[in-house]
Amino acid sequence: MLKGGLIGCGFFAVNHMHGWNMAQGADIVAICDRDPARLAAIGDAFGISALYSDAARMLAEQDLDFVDIATTVPSHRSLVELAATNGLHVICQKPLADTLEDARAMIAAVERAGKTFMVHENFRWQSPVRAVIEAVRGGAIGTPFFCRASFRSDYDVYANQPYLATDPRFIIQDLGIHILDVARALMGDVERIAATTARINPRIAGEDVATMLLTHHSGMTSVVDCSYASPRRPVTFPETVLEIDGSTGFLRLDTGYQLLIQNSAGEVRRDVSPPLLEWAERPWHNIQESVALIEQHFVDSVLSGQNVETSGRDNFETLKLVEAAYLSAETGSTIDLSVL
Ligand code: NAD
Ligand code: 89V
């Protein structure tokens, strides 16, 4: 049984803890947060008595196999490097880093330690998205040549995550990163990107709309469009709508988690709604289930010695897309990923 320590007991950490409770092969035995009230709340809710306000002290006193970093991005590099120095496996929330330089240093630190480094990039682990990835990789529509990955609503995301309203970078770094990662999972790595951004909500600091055009190494195209300023009803947060044209068929993951596949065999419609786990609540259940799935993948990979799917190195390619999208929006030019 792997023993883990959770660092960061904020808004999203409760989902991490429920996921770890479900995971086979791992237990969280200690938790850490600088905020005593948040630390106590998670400790009480999950019956954990090893509580720390300092991560270095937790790592020094506890005999851990891994850490789960659920803090926001400013602390990610120092915490990942701390874990690597202590010879631990690491799973760290997205966005991995504020800069590519930080991300490179984190990847190198865990590699030097010879440990597993996984980024908690969970959207590709959502079961409806997974159903699409499996269908496409299984050849249901032949070779995909066009993908639209779309995430649009006016959901009040700032209520739970107030830092999103004040960060100078918002939708690409926080949400677009997930949708760009889904596009990579479906269509492969990217050669160049062009992006436009806008701020529609005047009460926030960053951009709440982004439209990105990706040219993949295969020469094929994806459009990734994200908005937290779209007053559509019903509100479809947090669903990703996917449309993919392939050489021999068409696939759509529509709102309401409805999957349509058309090909020479005919037309298949499937309800691929995620289960409502007993600790989950709508509309977050889609994301909540993916937390449990990604954590189980991490445990299985560490125990079996297999590579994790969203490793630090893999996720670096998604992070490059984020950086390149901001650069493109700033300069009005298409960015070749090889320059980063
Ligand atoms: P939050 O601000 O609510 O919680 C972060 C917690 O970390 C705070 O309680 C803070 O005191 C603590 N903390 C920060 N630095 C620390 C340090 N050095 N040592 C100990 N504790 C420290 O943030 P959140 O909304 O829970 O988000 C956390 C991360 O999860 C972010 O990176 C966010 O992008 C990500 N997130 C991911 C998803 C997803 O679906 N993958 C959803 C929500 C949030
Ligand atoms: O993934 C995230 O960090 C979240 C949300 C899905 C709401 O955008 O901010």
Side-chain angles (χ1 to χ4, degrees), residues 4 21 24 29 60 68-69 79 81 98 107 141-142 145 165 189 225 230 233 257 271 314 318 320 325 339:
N21 270 352
Q24 304 289 310
V29 299
D68 178 18
I69 299 172
L79 291 170
E81 289 178 339
D98 266 330
I107 293 163
I141 57 167
F145 63 87
D189 276 331
D225 59 281
S230 298
R233 297 296 177 266
Y257 304 110
D271 182 336
D314 176 84
T318 297
K320 279 206 295 196
V339 304

Side-chain angles (χ1 to χ4, degrees), residues 15 122 125-128 236-239 256-257 272-293:
N15 299 312
N122 53 328
W125 289 95
Q126 292 171 8
S127 51
T236 55
F237 174 91
E239 293 187 46
Y257 304 110
V272 290
S273 296
L276 181 63
L277 298 173
E278 60 175 11
W279 50 272
E281 59 181 340
R282 295 178 193 279
W284 284 82
H285 62 302
N286 178 22
I287 290 178
Q288 288 167 316
E289 185 211 13
S290 71
V291 170
L293 294 174

Side-chain angles (χ1 to χ4, degrees), residues 235-282:
V235 178
T236 55
F237 174 91
E239 293 187 46
T240 306
V241 171
L242 296 167
E243 279 193 342
I244 307 169
D245 287 335
S247 54
T248 59
F250 169 71
L251 179 155
R252 178 189 295 131
L253 176 63
D254 218 333
T255 55
Y257 304 110
Q258 298 305 304
L259 178 62
L260 166 72
I261 300 176
Q262 295 170 332
N263 56 26
S264 56
E267 183 171 292
V268 176
R269 290 176 189 271
R270 275 169 60 203
D271 182 336
V272 290
S273 296
L276 181 63
L277 298 173
E278 60 175 11
W279 50 272
E281 59 181 340
R282 295 178 193 279

Side-chain angles (χ1 to χ4, degrees), residues 2-332:
L2 298 174
K3 285 186 285 180
L6 173 81
I7 309 174
C9 297
F11 160 67
F12 204 64
V14 67
N15 299 312
H16 286 226
M17 290 302 297
H18 281 298
W20 291 121
N21 270 352
M22 286 178 68
Q24 304 289 310
D27 269 338
I28 296 294
V29 299
I31 60 174
C32 170
D33 201 296
R34 295 191 295 217
D35 178 329
R38 290 184 141 188
L39 182 63
I42 294 280
D44 290 349
F46 293 92
I48 297 192
S49 54
L51 309 183
Y52 291 87
S53 58
D54 177 53
R57 189 155 164 239
M58 178 172 84
L59 270 48
E61 292 184 4
Q62 296 286 324
D63 180 22
L64 301 176
D65 299 298
F66 73 95
V67 287
D68 178 18
I69 299 172
T71 61
T72 46
V73 69
S75 53
H76 285 177
R77 178 172 174 177
S78 60
L79 291 170
V80 167
E81 289 178 339
L82 175 72
T85 308
N86 281 268
L88 302 182
H89 302 290
V90 182
I91 175 168
C92 179
Q93 260 294 351
K94 50 59 66 179
L96 179 58
D98 266 330
T99 66
L100 295 178
E101 184 196 346
D102 281 355
R104 283 192 188 95
M106 294 150 85
I107 293 163
V110 189
E111 283 182 357
R112 273 196 304 276
K115 297 293 171 180
T116 297
F117 186 22
M118 178 159 167
V119 179
H120 189 125
E121 179 39 79
N122 53 328
F123 269 41
R124 66 162 78 186
W125 289 95
Q126 292 171 8
S127 51
V129 173
R130 212 71 204 165
V132 173
I133 292 172
E134 276 160 23
V136 170
R137 290 183 184 169
I141 57 167
T143 305
F145 63 87
F146 173 83
C147 169
R148 179 181 176 210
S150 180
F151 187 105
R152 310 186 80 82
S153 77
D154 63 355
Y155 183 80
D156 180 12
V157 74
Y158 318 104
N160 292 318
Q161 295 167 266
Y163 54 90
L164 297 178
T166 54
D167 285 354
R169 287 181 168 191
F170 169 35
I171 203 167
I172 299 177
Q173 173 156 301
D174 180 70
L175 183 276
I177 195 168
H178 291 303
I179 315 303
L180 290 165
D181 190 68
V182 168
R184 279 189 58 235
L186 287 164
M187 302 286 285
D189 276 331
V190 177
E191 197 168 288
R192 50 188 191 276
I193 183 168
T196 59
T197 58
R199 181 173 61 228
I200 304 300
N201 180 344
R203 292 178 300 282
I204 65 168
E207 82 292 352
D208 51 3
V209 175
T211 308
M212 296 165 271
L213 177 66
L214 282 57
T215 306
H216 296 267
H217 286 307
S218 59
M220 305 311 174
T221 304
S222 296
V223 175
V224 173
D225 59 281
C226 307
S227 167
Y228 273 122
S230 298
R232 302 163 167 209
R233 297 296 177 266
V235 178
T236 55
F237 174 91
E239 293 187 46
T240 306
V241 171
L242 296 167
E243 279 193 342
I244 307 169
D245 287 335
S247 54
T248 59
F250 169 71
L251 179 155
R252 178 189 295 131
L253 176 63
D254 218 333
T255 55
Y257 304 110
Q258 298 305 304
L259 178 62
L260 166 72
I261 300 176
Q262 295 170 332
N263 56 26
S264 56
E267 183 171 292
V268 176
R269 290 176 189 271
R270 275 169 60 203
D271 182 336
V272 290
S273 296
L276 181 63
L277 298 173
E278 60 175 11
W279 50 272
E281 59 181 340
R282 295 178 193 279
W284 284 82
H285 62 302
N286 178 22
I287 290 178
Q288 288 167 316
E289 185 211 13
S290 71
V291 170
L293 294 174
I294 197 172
E295 289 177 350
Q296 188 64 59
H297 175 68
F298 175 77
V299 175
D300 292 345
S301 304
V302 169
L303 291 174
S304 66
Q306 304 276 307
N307 290 336
V308 288
E309 184 170 320
T310 52
S311 64
R313 270 187 187 274
D314 176 84
N315 196 255
F316 187 73
E317 298 304 316
T318 297
L319 207 58
K320 279 206 295 196
L321 284 173
V322 169
E323 286 302 320
Y326 281 115
L327 191 57
S328 171
E330 263 167 47
T331 59

